[in-house]
Amino acid sequence: MSGNITFTMIKPQAMRNGAGGAILKMIQDGGFEIIALKLKRLSKNAAEEFYGIHKGKPFYDKLVDFMTSGPIIAAILKKSNAVEDYRRLLGTTDPETAEEGTIRKAFATDMTMNAAHGSDSDENALIEAKFHFTEEEIFD
Ligand code: ATP
Ligand code: MG
């Protein structure tokens, strides 16, 4: 699985805005195969651990509150060069600078509520995939 998968979460604001289906369509149209999928709500502990690298930064508490504010879609995506290609489809962290055709350009509303997450390395993709899915839930 390593090297050709990435992990994504469709974030609570995009789910509240009814964009979950449209984002999954963009993912599939972008050539990614969905090999694991679930609707779930992150616990505070899970969100704190997931974004632990940002602990202590000024936006951390707001980020954790936001990420636990409602259900998310979690998914594992398969494609060659998945991590880099999905970051390109996502667009920049700040939707102000995201390019036309990206998920964040279409559905993000601000820097916190930026529609979806994508892993930033092959190593983190595996860690994040295993954080959210058991082996039986992954159809690789
Ligand atoms: P994600 O990990 O959610 O895919 P990212 O990889 O584009 O986003 P990270 O640097 O990992 O960006 O930051 C994680 C999240 O923290 C961002 O999605 C954003 O919501 C928030 N964040 C990051 N930097 C800032 C900032 N300077 N101000 C406000 N929020 C920020
Ligand atoms: Mg990140």
Side-chain angles (χ1 to χ4, degrees):
M1 202 161 71
S2 181
N4 62 354
I5 63 126
T6 191
F7 172 76
T8 188
M9 290 187 286
I10 302 177
K11 297 186 179 184
Q13 140 270 354
M15 295 299 293
R16 275 193 287 277
N17 293 343
I23 293 173
L24 289 176
K25 178 162 172 28
M26 285 178 81
I27 288 169
Q28 289 183 309
D29 289 349
F32 297 86
E33 182 189 353
I34 297 169
I35 61 167
L37 185 73
K38 67 171 71 161
L39 187 67
K40 68 186 287 188
R41 186 169 182 159
L42 294 183
S43 67
K44 190 162 192 279
N45 277 346
E48 284 178 346
E49 187 180 334
F50 196 87
Y51 284 113
I53 192 162
H54 295 302
K55 196 171 168 64
K57 293 187 187 163
F59 58 84
Y60 178 72
D61 289 347
K62 189 175 164 193
L63 179 62
V64 169
D65 283 350
F66 165 59
M67 287 303 296
T68 57
S69 68
I72 58 148
I73 286 175
I76 304 174
L77 312 179
K78 185 174 177 181
K79 184 183 186 299
S80 63
N81 204 35
V83 166
E84 194 185 334
D85 286 2
Y86 188 61
R87 300 276 307 183
R88 192 170 311 120
L89 178 61
L90 257 187
T92 52
T93 308
D94 183 352
E96 291 282 323
T97 57
E99 287 180 30
E100 274 318 317
T102 63
I103 290 170
R104 283 172 168 164
K105 176 72 177 179
F107 298 111
T109 49
D110 65 34
M111 183 86 161
T112 302
M113 295 193 255
N114 58 6
H117 159 81
S119 308
D120 58 14
S121 66
D122 290 342
E123 187 189 0
N124 283 337
L126 269 185
I127 292 169
E128 293 171 2
K130 286 178 181 165
F131 184 88
H132 288 273
F133 293 96
T134 65
E135 260 177 51
E136 292 72 36
E137 292 173 323
I138 300 171
F139 297 87
D140 190 23

